[in-house]
Each structure stands twice: as structure tokens, then as C-alpha cells.
PDB file of all heavy atoms in Angstrom:
ATOM      1  N   ALA A   1      -0.175  -4.113  -6.204  1.00  0.00           N
ATOM      2  CA  ALA A   1       0.865  -3.694  -7.156  1.00  0.00           C
ATOM      3  C   ALA A   1       1.101  -2.187  -7.089  1.00  0.00           C
ATOM      4  O   ALA A   1       1.524  -1.583  -8.064  1.00  0.00           O
ATOM      5  CB  ALA A   1       0.454  -4.097  -8.569  1.00  0.00           C
ATOM      6  N   MET A   2       0.832  -1.588  -5.920  1.00  0.00           N
ATOM      7  CA  MET A   2       0.960  -0.139  -5.768  1.00  0.00           C
ATOM      8  C   MET A   2       2.115   0.255  -4.862  1.00  0.00           C
ATOM      9  O   MET A   2       2.188   1.396  -4.408  1.00  0.00           O
ATOM     10  CB  MET A   2      -0.350   0.443  -5.216  1.00  0.00           C
ATOM     11  CG  MET A   2      -1.506   0.414  -6.192  1.00  0.00           C
ATOM     12  SD  MET A   2      -3.048   1.073  -5.484  1.00  0.00           S
ATOM     13  CE  MET A   2      -2.583   2.760  -5.108  1.00  0.00           C
ATOM     14  N   SER A   3       3.018  -0.648  -4.589  1.00  0.00           N
ATOM     15  CA  SER A   3       4.125  -0.311  -3.704  1.00  0.00           C
ATOM     16  C   SER A   3       4.984   0.784  -4.318  1.00  0.00           C
ATOM     17  O   SER A   3       4.977   1.018  -5.533  1.00  0.00           O
ATOM     18  CB  SER A   3       4.976  -1.543  -3.408  1.00  0.00           C
ATOM     19  OG  SER A   3       5.713  -1.927  -4.556  1.00  0.00           O
ATOM     20  N   THR A   4       5.746   1.471  -3.472  1.00  0.00           N
ATOM     21  CA  THR A   4       6.629   2.534  -3.949  1.00  0.00           C
ATOM     22  C   THR A   4       7.619   2.015  -4.969  1.00  0.00           C
ATOM     23  O   THR A   4       7.989   2.721  -5.920  1.00  0.00           O
ATOM     24  CB  THR A   4       7.371   3.163  -2.757  1.00  0.00           C
ATOM     25  OG1 THR A   4       6.394   3.666  -1.821  1.00  0.00           O
ATOM     26  CG2 THR A   4       8.264   4.313  -3.198  1.00  0.00           C
ATOM     27  N   ALA A   5       8.051   0.766  -4.803  1.00  0.00           N
ATOM     28  CA  ALA A   5       8.992   0.180  -5.763  1.00  0.00           C
ATOM     29  C   ALA A   5       8.395   0.113  -7.156  1.00  0.00           C
ATOM     30  O   ALA A   5       9.084   0.364  -8.157  1.00  0.00           O
ATOM     31  CB  ALA A   5       9.415  -1.208  -5.299  1.00  0.00           C
ATOM     32  N   GLU A   6       7.117  -0.227  -7.267  1.00  0.00           N
ATOM     33  CA  GLU A   6       6.486  -0.314  -8.585  1.00  0.00           C
ATOM     34  C   GLU A   6       6.404   1.073  -9.223  1.00  0.00           C
ATOM     35  O   GLU A   6       6.601   1.221 -10.439  1.00  0.00           O
ATOM     36  CB  GLU A   6       5.079  -0.922  -8.467  1.00  0.00           C
ATOM     37  CG  GLU A   6       5.018  -2.304  -7.840  1.00  0.00           C
ATOM     38  CD  GLU A   6       5.662  -3.400  -8.681  1.00  0.00           C
ATOM     39  OE1 GLU A   6       6.287  -3.100  -9.717  1.00  0.00           O
ATOM     40  OE2 GLU A   6       5.556  -4.572  -8.280  1.00  0.00           O
ATOM     41  N   VAL A   7       6.134   2.098  -8.408  1.00  0.00           N
ATOM     42  CA  VAL A   7       6.072   3.458  -8.940  1.00  0.00           C
ATOM     43  C   VAL A   7       7.466   3.913  -9.381  1.00  0.00           C
ATOM     44  O   VAL A   7       7.619   4.595 -10.404  1.00  0.00           O
ATOM     45  CB  VAL A   7       5.478   4.418  -7.889  1.00  0.00           C
ATOM     46  CG1 VAL A   7       5.414   5.836  -8.434  1.00  0.00           C
ATOM     47  CG2 VAL A   7       4.081   3.951  -7.481  1.00  0.00           C
ATOM     48  N   ALA A   8       8.496   3.531  -8.626  1.00  0.00           N
ATOM     49  CA  ALA A   8       9.868   3.865  -9.028  1.00  0.00           C
ATOM     50  C   ALA A   8      10.218   3.187 -10.353  1.00  0.00           C
ATOM     51  O   ALA A   8      10.879   3.791 -11.215  1.00  0.00           O
ATOM     52  CB  ALA A   8      10.848   3.444  -7.936  1.00  0.00           C
ATOM     53  N   ARG A   9       9.787   1.946 -10.530  1.00  0.00           N
ATOM     54  CA  ARG A   9      10.033   1.257 -11.807  1.00  0.00           C
ATOM     55  C   ARG A   9       9.291   1.959 -12.940  1.00  0.00           C
ATOM     56  O   ARG A   9       9.840   2.149 -14.033  1.00  0.00           O
ATOM     57  CB  ARG A   9       9.598  -0.205 -11.684  1.00  0.00           C
ATOM     58  CG  ARG A   9      10.461  -1.006 -10.714  1.00  0.00           C
ATOM     59  CD  ARG A   9       9.958  -2.429 -10.504  1.00  0.00           C
ATOM     60  NE  ARG A   9      10.742  -3.063  -9.440  1.00  0.00           N
ATOM     61  CZ  ARG A   9      10.241  -3.588  -8.324  1.00  0.00           C
ATOM     62  NH1 ARG A   9       8.924  -3.583  -8.126  1.00  0.00           N
ATOM     63  NH2 ARG A   9      11.033  -4.118  -7.415  1.00  0.00           N
ATOM     64  N   ASP A  10       8.031   2.337 -12.689  1.00  0.00           N
ATOM     65  CA  ASP A  10       7.287   3.097 -13.702  1.00  0.00           C
ATOM     66  C   ASP A  10       8.048   4.363 -14.074  1.00  0.00           C
ATOM     67  O   ASP A  10       8.158   4.720 -15.256  1.00  0.00           O
ATOM     68  CB  ASP A  10       5.905   3.485 -13.163  1.00  0.00           C
ATOM     69  CG  ASP A  10       4.956   2.305 -12.995  1.00  0.00           C
ATOM     70  OD1 ASP A  10       5.253   1.213 -13.524  1.00  0.00           O
ATOM     71  OD2 ASP A  10       3.928   2.479 -12.306  1.00  0.00           O
ATOM     72  N   MET A  11       8.567   5.066 -13.064  1.00  0.00           N
ATOM     73  CA  MET A  11       9.252   6.323 -13.315  1.00  0.00           C
ATOM     74  C   MET A  11      10.511   6.107 -14.138  1.00  0.00           C
ATOM     75  O   MET A  11      10.863   6.939 -14.988  1.00  0.00           O
ATOM     76  CB  MET A  11       9.576   7.013 -11.988  1.00  0.00           C
ATOM     77  CG  MET A  11      10.007   8.459 -12.136  1.00  0.00           C
ATOM     78  SD  MET A  11       9.785   9.454 -10.624  1.00  0.00           S
ATOM     79  CE  MET A  11      10.868   8.594  -9.480  1.00  0.00           C
ATOM     80  N   ASP A  12      11.199   4.995 -13.938  1.00  0.00           N
ATOM     81  CA  ASP A  12      12.398   4.743 -14.724  1.00  0.00           C
ATOM     82  C   ASP A  12      12.054   4.476 -16.185  1.00  0.00           C
ATOM     83  O   ASP A  12      12.751   4.939 -17.087  1.00  0.00           O
ATOM     84  CB  ASP A  12      13.188   3.567 -14.149  1.00  0.00           C
ATOM     85  CG  ASP A  12      14.581   3.492 -14.747  1.00  0.00           C
ATOM     86  OD1 ASP A  12      15.348   4.457 -14.577  1.00  0.00           O
ATOM     87  OD2 ASP A  12      14.894   2.480 -15.413  1.00  0.00           O
ATOM     88  N   VAL A  13      10.973   3.749 -16.424  1.00  0.00           N
ATOM     89  CA  VAL A  13      10.537   3.519 -17.808  1.00  0.00           C
ATOM     90  C   VAL A  13      10.096   4.833 -18.442  1.00  0.00           C
ATOM     91  O   VAL A  13      10.423   5.118 -19.607  1.00  0.00           O
ATOM     92  CB  VAL A  13       9.405   2.474 -17.847  1.00  0.00           C
ATOM     93  CG1 VAL A  13       8.824   2.354 -19.261  1.00  0.00           C
ATOM     94  CG2 VAL A  13       9.907   1.107 -17.373  1.00  0.00           C
ATOM     95  N   LEU A  14       9.387   5.660 -17.690  1.00  0.00           N
ATOM     96  CA  LEU A  14       8.912   6.928 -18.231  1.00  0.00           C
ATOM     97  C   LEU A  14      10.051   7.924 -18.419  1.00  0.00           C
ATOM     98  O   LEU A  14      10.006   8.760 -19.329  1.00  0.00           O
ATOM     99  CB  LEU A  14       7.830   7.505 -17.320  1.00  0.00           C
ATOM    100  CG  LEU A  14       6.545   6.663 -17.263  1.00  0.00           C
ATOM    101  CD1 LEU A  14       5.591   7.189 -16.212  1.00  0.00           C
ATOM    102  CD2 LEU A  14       5.866   6.587 -18.623  1.00  0.00           C
ATOM    103  N   ARG A  15      11.072   7.861 -17.579  1.00  0.00           N
ATOM    104  CA  ARG A  15      12.284   8.658 -17.811  1.00  0.00           C
ATOM    105  C   ARG A  15      12.847   8.367 -19.195  1.00  0.00           C
ATOM    106  O   ARG A  15      13.213   9.280 -19.948  1.00  0.00           O
ATOM    107  CB  ARG A  15      13.333   8.324 -16.734  1.00  0.00           C
ATOM    108  CG  ARG A  15      14.729   8.865 -17.054  1.00  0.00           C
ATOM    109  CD  ARG A  15      15.811   8.171 -16.232  1.00  0.00           C
ATOM    110  NE  ARG A  15      15.868   6.741 -16.423  1.00  0.00           N
ATOM    111  CZ  ARG A  15      16.377   6.123 -17.481  1.00  0.00           C
ATOM    112  NH1 ARG A  15      16.850   6.826 -18.498  1.00  0.00           N
ATOM    113  NH2 ARG A  15      16.394   4.814 -17.547  1.00  0.00           N
ATOM    114  N   ARG A  16      12.897   7.109 -19.530  1.00  0.00           N
ATOM    115  CA  ARG A  16      13.386   6.713 -20.842  1.00  0.00           C
ATOM    116  C   ARG A  16      12.426   7.180 -21.936  1.00  0.00           C
ATOM    117  O   ARG A  16      12.850   7.628 -23.005  1.00  0.00           O
ATOM    118  CB  ARG A  16      13.518   5.183 -20.872  1.00  0.00           C
ATOM    119  CG  ARG A  16      14.231   4.689 -22.087  1.00  0.00           C
ATOM    120  CD  ARG A  16      14.321   3.170 -22.197  1.00  0.00           C
ATOM    121  NE  ARG A  16      13.988   2.360 -21.079  1.00  0.00           N
ATOM    122  CZ  ARG A  16      13.117   1.345 -21.138  1.00  0.00           C
ATOM    123  NH1 ARG A  16      12.464   1.098 -22.263  1.00  0.00           N
ATOM    124  NH2 ARG A  16      12.896   0.601 -20.087  1.00  0.00           N
ATOM    125  N   ALA A  17      11.118   7.130 -21.653  1.00  0.00           N
ATOM    126  CA  ALA A  17      10.120   7.511 -22.658  1.00  0.00           C
ATOM    127  C   ALA A  17      10.200   8.987 -23.024  1.00  0.00           C
ATOM    128  O   ALA A  17       9.915   9.370 -24.157  1.00  0.00           O
ATOM    129  CB  ALA A  17       8.720   7.165 -22.161  1.00  0.00           C
ATOM    130  N   VAL A  18      10.594   9.847 -22.053  1.00  0.00           N
ATOM    131  CA  VAL A  18      10.709  11.276 -22.363  1.00  0.00           C
ATOM    132  C   VAL A  18      12.092  11.624 -22.906  1.00  0.00           C
ATOM    133  O   VAL A  18      12.378  12.795 -23.184  1.00  0.00           O
ATOM    134  CB  VAL A  18      10.389  12.151 -21.132  1.00  0.00           C
ATOM    135  CG1 VAL A  18       8.952  11.925 -20.670  1.00  0.00           C
ATOM    136  CG2 VAL A  18      11.382  11.918 -20.000  1.00  0.00           C
ATOM    137  N   GLY A  19      12.948  10.625 -23.069  1.00  0.00           N
ATOM    138  CA  GLY A  19      14.233  10.836 -23.714  1.00  0.00           C
ATOM    139  C   GLY A  19      15.372  11.230 -22.801  1.00  0.00           C
ATOM    140  O   GLY A  19      16.423  11.664 -23.285  1.00  0.00           O
ATOM    141  N   ASP A  20      15.209  11.066 -21.484  1.00  0.00           N
ATOM    142  CA  ASP A  20      16.265  11.445 -20.550  1.00  0.00           C
ATOM    143  C   ASP A  20      17.127  10.240 -20.197  1.00  0.00           C
ATOM    144  O   ASP A  20      16.593   9.221 -19.731  1.00  0.00           O
ATOM    145  CB  ASP A  20      15.676  12.023 -19.265  1.00  0.00           C
ATOM    146  CG  ASP A  20      15.125  13.427 -19.454  1.00  0.00           C
ATOM    147  OD1 ASP A  20      15.128  13.911 -20.602  1.00  0.00           O
ATOM    148  OD2 ASP A  20      14.695  14.033 -18.457  1.00  0.00           O
ATOM    149  N   PRO A  21      18.455  10.347 -20.367  1.00  0.00           N
ATOM    150  CA  PRO A  21      19.322   9.226 -19.992  1.00  0.00           C
ATOM    151  C   PRO A  21      19.400   9.010 -18.486  1.00  0.00           C
ATOM    152  O   PRO A  21      19.683   7.911 -18.025  1.00  0.00           O
ATOM    153  CB  PRO A  21      20.684   9.612 -20.567  1.00  0.00           C
ATOM    154  CG  PRO A  21      20.644  11.089 -20.719  1.00  0.00           C
ATOM    155  CD  PRO A  21      19.221  11.433 -21.006  1.00  0.00           C
ATOM    156  N   LYS A  22      19.177  10.086 -17.714  1.00  0.00           N
ATOM    157  CA  LYS A  22      19.164   9.957 -16.258  1.00  0.00           C
ATOM    158  C   LYS A  22      18.024  10.818 -15.702  1.00  0.00           C
ATOM    159  O   LYS A  22      17.536  11.739 -16.367  1.00  0.00           O
ATOM    160  CB  LYS A  22      20.505  10.368 -15.644  1.00  0.00           C
ATOM    161  CG  LYS A  22      21.631   9.393 -15.986  1.00  0.00           C
ATOM    162  CD  LYS A  22      22.872   9.635 -15.129  1.00  0.00           C
ATOM    163  CE  LYS A  22      23.942   8.581 -15.438  1.00  0.00           C
ATOM    164  NZ  LYS A  22      25.125   8.719 -14.543  1.00  0.00           N
ATOM    165  N   LEU A  23      17.630  10.531 -14.466  1.00  0.00           N
ATOM    166  CA  LEU A  23      16.443  11.159 -13.876  1.00  0.00           C
ATOM    167  C   LEU A  23      16.789  12.458 -13.159  1.00  0.00           C
ATOM    168  O   LEU A  23      17.732  12.521 -12.372  1.00  0.00           O
ATOM    169  CB  LEU A  23      15.796  10.201 -12.873  1.00  0.00           C
ATOM    170  CG  LEU A  23      14.541  10.735 -12.161  1.00  0.00           C
ATOM    171  CD1 LEU A  23      13.341  10.688 -13.105  1.00  0.00           C
ATOM    172  CD2 LEU A  23      14.243   9.937 -10.887  1.00  0.00           C
ATOM    173  N   THR A  24      15.972  13.480 -13.402  1.00  0.00           N
ATOM    174  CA  THR A  24      15.963  14.693 -12.596  1.00  0.00           C
ATOM    175  C   THR A  24      14.619  14.729 -11.878  1.00  0.00           C
ATOM    176  O   THR A  24      13.569  14.606 -12.507  1.00  0.00           O
ATOM    177  CB  THR A  24      16.136  15.949 -13.461  1.00  0.00           C
ATOM    178  OG1 THR A  24      17.341  15.838 -14.231  1.00  0.00           O
ATOM    179  CG2 THR A  24      16.217  17.193 -12.593  1.00  0.00           C
ATOM    180  N   TYR A  25      14.647  14.916 -10.543  1.00  0.00           N
ATOM    181  CA  TYR A  25      13.443  14.661  -9.737  1.00  0.00           C
ATOM    182  C   TYR A  25      13.362  15.637  -8.571  1.00  0.00           C
ATOM    183  O   TYR A  25      14.368  15.973  -7.942  1.00  0.00           O
ATOM    184  CB  TYR A  25      13.491  13.229  -9.200  1.00  0.00           C
ATOM    185  CG  TYR A  25      12.363  12.847  -8.263  1.00  0.00           C
ATOM    186  CD1 TYR A  25      11.130  12.440  -8.757  1.00  0.00           C
ATOM    187  CD2 TYR A  25      12.547  12.873  -6.884  1.00  0.00           C
ATOM    188  CE1 TYR A  25      10.102  12.080  -7.893  1.00  0.00           C
ATOM    189  CE2 TYR A  25      11.524  12.518  -6.014  1.00  0.00           C
ATOM    190  CZ  TYR A  25      10.301  12.117  -6.521  1.00  0.00           C
ATOM    191  OH  TYR A  25       9.285  11.773  -5.662  1.00  0.00           O
ATOM    192  N   LEU A  26      12.131  16.080  -8.282  1.00  0.00           N
ATOM    193  CA  LEU A  26      11.825  16.897  -7.112  1.00  0.00           C
ATOM    194  C   LEU A  26      10.599  16.296  -6.444  1.00  0.00           C
ATOM    195  O   LEU A  26       9.513  16.292  -7.022  1.00  0.00           O
ATOM    196  CB  LEU A  26      11.555  18.351  -7.530  1.00  0.00           C
ATOM    197  CG  LEU A  26      11.029  19.301  -6.449  1.00  0.00           C
ATOM    198  CD1 LEU A  26      11.994  19.415  -5.272  1.00  0.00           C
ATOM    199  CD2 LEU A  26      10.732  20.680  -7.045  1.00  0.00           C
ATOM    200  N   GLY A  27      10.782  15.778  -5.224  1.00  0.00           N
ATOM    201  CA  GLY A  27       9.683  15.125  -4.514  1.00  0.00           C
ATOM    202  C   GLY A  27       9.451  15.756  -3.157  1.00  0.00           C
ATOM    203  O   GLY A  27      10.395  16.007  -2.400  1.00  0.00           O
ATOM    204  N   PHE A  28       8.181  16.018  -2.851  1.00  0.00           N
ATOM    205  CA  PHE A  28       7.796  16.609  -1.581  1.00  0.00           C
ATOM    206  C   PHE A  28       7.147  15.555  -0.683  1.00  0.00           C
ATOM    207  O   PHE A  28       6.391  14.701  -1.148  1.00  0.00           O
ATOM    208  CB  PHE A  28       6.791  17.745  -1.799  1.00  0.00           C
ATOM    209  CG  PHE A  28       7.325  18.887  -2.624  1.00  0.00           C
ATOM    210  CD1 PHE A  28       7.037  18.981  -3.982  1.00  0.00           C
ATOM    211  CD2 PHE A  28       8.124  19.864  -2.050  1.00  0.00           C
ATOM    212  CE1 PHE A  28       7.521  20.034  -4.745  1.00  0.00           C
ATOM    213  CE2 PHE A  28       8.613  20.924  -2.806  1.00  0.00           C
ATOM    214  CZ  PHE A  28       8.312  21.007  -4.157  1.00  0.00           C
ATOM    215  N   SER A  29       7.412  15.633   0.630  1.00  0.00           N
ATOM    216  CA  SER A  29       6.727  14.811   1.626  1.00  0.00           C
ATOM    217  C   SER A  29       6.905  13.318   1.311  1.00  0.00           C
ATOM    218  O   SER A  29       8.045  12.857   1.218  1.00  0.00           O
ATOM    219  CB  SER A  29       5.247  15.229   1.678  1.00  0.00           C
ATOM    220  OG  SER A  29       4.609  14.714   2.810  1.00  0.00           O
ATOM    221  N   TYR A  30       5.804  12.555   1.145  1.00  0.00           N
ATOM    222  CA  TYR A  30       5.982  11.149   0.769  1.00  0.00           C
ATOM    223  C   TYR A  30       6.782  11.020  -0.524  1.00  0.00           C
ATOM    224  O   TYR A  30       7.452  10.000  -0.753  1.00  0.00           O
ATOM    225  CB  TYR A  30       4.622  10.442   0.617  1.00  0.00           C
ATOM    226  CG  TYR A  30       4.728   9.198  -0.236  1.00  0.00           C
ATOM    227  CD1 TYR A  30       5.240   8.025   0.287  1.00  0.00           C
ATOM    228  CD2 TYR A  30       4.382   9.234  -1.589  1.00  0.00           C
ATOM    229  CE1 TYR A  30       5.395   6.903  -0.509  1.00  0.00           C
ATOM    230  CE2 TYR A  30       4.523   8.125  -2.388  1.00  0.00           C
ATOM    231  CZ  TYR A  30       5.033   6.954  -1.838  1.00  0.00           C
ATOM    232  OH  TYR A  30       5.196   5.851  -2.643  1.00  0.00           O
ATOM    233  N   GLY A  31       6.759  12.045  -1.366  1.00  0.00           N
ATOM    234  CA  GLY A  31       7.599  12.018  -2.562  1.00  0.00           C
ATOM    235  C   GLY A  31       9.067  11.841  -2.228  1.00  0.00           C
ATOM    236  O   GLY A  31       9.860  11.423  -3.083  1.00  0.00           O
ATOM    237  N   SER A  32       9.451  12.135  -0.974  1.00  0.00           N
ATOM    238  CA  SER A  32      10.828  11.873  -0.542  1.00  0.00           C
ATOM    239  C   SER A  32      11.089  10.379  -0.426  1.00  0.00           C
ATOM    240  O   SER A  32      12.212   9.915  -0.640  1.00  0.00           O
ATOM    241  CB  SER A  32      11.107  12.563   0.796  1.00  0.00           C
ATOM    242  OG  SER A  32      10.407  11.947   1.866  1.00  0.00           O
ATOM    243  N   VAL A  33      10.076   9.614  -0.058  1.00  0.00           N
ATOM    244  CA  VAL A  33      10.222   8.156  -0.010  1.00  0.00           C
ATOM    245  C   VAL A  33      10.412   7.622  -1.423  1.00  0.00           C
ATOM    246  O   VAL A  33      11.325   6.827  -1.688  1.00  0.00           O
ATOM    247  CB  VAL A  33       8.997   7.506   0.663  1.00  0.00           C
ATOM    248  CG1 VAL A  33       9.106   5.984   0.640  1.00  0.00           C
ATOM    249  CG2 VAL A  33       8.849   8.000   2.100  1.00  0.00           C
ATOM    250  N   LEU A  34       9.568   8.076  -2.349  1.00  0.00           N
ATOM    251  CA  LEU A  34       9.705   7.651  -3.737  1.00  0.00           C
ATOM    252  C   LEU A  34      11.090   8.009  -4.273  1.00  0.00           C
ATOM    253  O   LEU A  34      11.747   7.207  -4.945  1.00  0.00           O
ATOM    254  CB  LEU A  34       8.610   8.303  -4.586  1.00  0.00           C
ATOM    255  CG  LEU A  34       8.670   8.060  -6.100  1.00  0.00           C
ATOM    256  CD1 LEU A  34       8.636   6.569  -6.423  1.00  0.00           C
ATOM    257  CD2 LEU A  34       7.527   8.799  -6.801  1.00  0.00           C
ATOM    258  N   GLY A  35      11.556   9.224  -3.974  1.00  0.00           N
ATOM    259  CA  GLY A  35      12.876   9.627  -4.442  1.00  0.00           C
ATOM    260  C   GLY A  35      13.982   8.755  -3.885  1.00  0.00           C
ATOM    261  O   GLY A  35      14.919   8.373  -4.605  1.00  0.00           O
TER     262      GLY A  35
END
């Protein structure tokens, strides 16, 4: 359950949790895959 897709889903839920209607993101290296 550690695929990049699951982390992207987590990030979308957490985006909502911090009160942001849309995501602002900066990803380095493999973080580019997540982005």
C-alpha cells in the first residue's frame, strides 16, 4: 500500500485538511514522480 498513487491520495486529503482548495507543491528528484 506504498505506491506513489496512495501517497498522492494521502496528499489530496491532507491538502483539504490544511484548508487549501487546491494544491501548491514543490517536489525534488523522485518527488517529481509524486508531483
Side-chain angles (χ1 to χ4, degrees):
M2 290 179 61
S3 71
T4 302
E6 302 293 7
V7 180
R9 293 175 187 123
D10 291 347
M11 193 158 62
D12 193 61
V13 173
L14 294 173
R15 167 198 59 76
R16 190 183 348 128
V18 298
D20 286 4
K22 292 193 176 185
L23 179 76
T24 304
Y25 176 83
L26 172 59
F28 298 98
S29 194
Y30 159 78
S32 70
V33 177
L34 175 58

